[in-house]
Amino acid sequence: MSAADKKNVPPTDTERRRVLRLLGKGSVVAAFAAQIGAAARAFFPNVLYEPPTKFKLKRPEEYPPGFTFDAAHRLFVVREEDAFHVISAVCTHLGCTVQWRENEFDCPCHGSRFRPNGSVISGPAPRPLSWFDTRLSPDGFLEVDSAVDVAPGFRFVPPKGQA
Amino acid sequence: MGEQLAKLWRKISWSWSPGSERESSEAIVRNLWLHWFPAKITRAAMSWNYSLWLGTAAASLFFILTVTGVMLMFFYVPSTERAYGSIKDLQYAVSFGRVLRNQHRWAAEGMVAVVFLHMARVFFTGAYRGTRAANWLVGVGLLLATLLLSFTGYLLPWDQLAFWAVTVGTNIAREAPVVGGTMRFLLLGGTQIDQQTLLRFYVLHVFFLPAVLWVMFAYHMWRVRKDGGLGAVEAIKADRRMAPKPMPATKSYSLFGLTPGTSVQVMSSTELEAEDQVVSSPNLTRRIVLVFLIVFNATLLASIFFNAPLEEAANPAVTPNPAKAPWYFVWLQELVASTTVHIGPLTISGGFLGGILLPGVLLVLLAVWPWLDRSPLSAEGRWFPSSRKTQNRVFVVAMIAIVLLIVVGVFLRGPNWRIYWPGMPRPQAPTVL
Ligand code: HEM
Ligand code: FES
């Protein structure tokens, strides 16, 4: 059939053709959109090769009284007599590591200062430093879950003979 | 054989000193590298004083960055274990590796400065009104891409500076409402700055952002031509309209005098006289090469005499004190450090106010400025016209504020982000615990 002939064929089944055309175009668009969605989804990792939030520290008896910085986990282990608590060393402003100075924590990035209990003295930090849930692992190590915050004032006292 | 080679050479090259106008315009039209230029260019647009050639300087820097960057890719390994070592190798083990790295670094910092100055030039000459508003918007995109390139490049050496600048930067992203957390997760490829982050920043830095920038640059240049050349042309046309026409001296002149309106010439040049223009080859081509050589030699000299900084290897446990962002972001750091507000029990972090909201408002203002600006169109293409006093004041105040914040951040901030005036002793902050 030549192009001229085609032009002269009266349009029958117009409605059916329109729907089919729409379906055809629609499926191409949908397939394309799904492909883009799939590509975007790939950029959200399902598996993270990051250290677990729950980890063991040293044995309670190995900690001297006062504030001990744990560089690997970015936290402070605080020992008062036989009671322990763990404070995060991550500044609540924008995530720099705070340092322990005589009687306060100082953040080097934008100068936030925190009291020994983690509350803010001054600077841009909007929240106090986090306190982490602390317990004893079955084999006698301090165990911390950095995903679980506890209220300031929390104390963990290991059973007698463990500290 | 020699004949064939000569023919081939003529195809890919052109004459730097054409014998006639015809030869000149043929060079432009036929040559792949020159076809995006107009055959003729207005003298006013060629003037050093009008554009200061800052856009061309920015493009030169970007070209230098592309070439040195690809060379660096032969040495750099985007792995957390080897990135720092490969930069050290460039500094100490690769012949001229240090100069290569320095040149990439200084050209990058120079590009941020030059792009900013170019934007200031466009603003002060009011060359973003009417048909040029679209190109201003493209320019804002170019500015953003330039800053993002700097930020992603900053992480790659995997030293202390890199690690902490990106820690702070991505935590600012987290402060964005609703999408903040997701954005940071996507950017880092996880919840911590780690191998995935380095790889993502690397790909963004060496491929994605440069590609986006090159495409936007091409469009930027195409728009300059479609808009009828630089804003300075507008000023010349306005002057021509005001001045009485001199008596036609030549045949072609009388033709112009007799036929008002559109001529066979390009639309935009109808109100221009022949003496207002020069041929692009060799005037424009030579000028571009000259600007490129000046810029190239400036970065090379800087690279021979000054070394790009490299701190100790990244260490998540110890934040250097003070931890400073690169100078062009220090003003943002000043903002995030000083804008945390307490309203009763409610605390709004400076990360949101100073890191997201304020820069966001500034950016939106910059983008829509051409449509807010109500200065007369006749002010276009001239430096500091009196009818644009208000606009220029607003811009100068904003610029001074940013420069002041940068000066404070770079020179006055010491350990614990306290202000130390010149001469005041700075306590030695311990870097290890
Ligand atoms: C990668 C960054 C950029 C490059 C390579 C670049 C390049 C150029 C070049 C070569 C010109 C020709 C005139 C000149 O040399 O001054 C130009 C003009 C122009 N640029 Fe840019 N530019 C960049 C960023 C920007 C920015 C950040 C803005 C503004 C937000 C902007 C807005 C404009 C406008 C409106 C013009 C036309 C000016 C006139 O008509 O006088 N550009 N650009
Ligand atoms: S990150 Fe600690 S004050 Fe900003």
Side-chain angles (χ1 to χ4, degrees), chain A residues 9-17:
Chain A
V9 175
T12 54
D13 299 339
T14 325
E15 188 55 19
R16 197 166 61 99
R17 282 169 188 238

Side-chain angles (χ1 to χ4, degrees), chain B residues 208-231:
Chain B
F208 190 77
L209 289 168
V212 167
L213 215 151
W214 272 115
V215 170
M216 281 202 291
F217 170 65
Y219 184 60
H220 199 54
M221 293 300 92
W222 188 75
R223 280 244 57 91
V224 167
R225 279 199 66 185
K226 291 293 148 187
D227 294 338
L230 294 192

Side-chain angles (χ1 to χ4, degrees), chain B residues 14-20 23 281-282 286:
Chain B
W14 65 92
S15 163
W16 286 93
S17 43
S20 66
E23 198 184 328
S281 169
R286 276 190 197 156

Side-chain angles (χ1 to χ4, degrees), chain B residues 50-59 62 111 115 118-119 121-122 125 127-128 132 135-140 142-143 146 213 217 220-221 224 229-232 366:
Chain B
Y50 173 70
S51 73
L52 310 177
W53 289 78
L54 288 165
T56 309
F62 186 41
M111 183 166 163
V115 167
H118 167 64
M119 182 181 80
R121 187 288 282 173
V122 172
T125 55
Y128 54 85
R132 288 180 182 77
N135 216 11
W136 171 268
L137 211 55
V138 179
V140 173
L142 284 165
L143 178 69
T146 306
L213 215 151
F217 170 65
H220 199 54
M221 293 300 92
V224 167
L230 294 192
L366 199 66

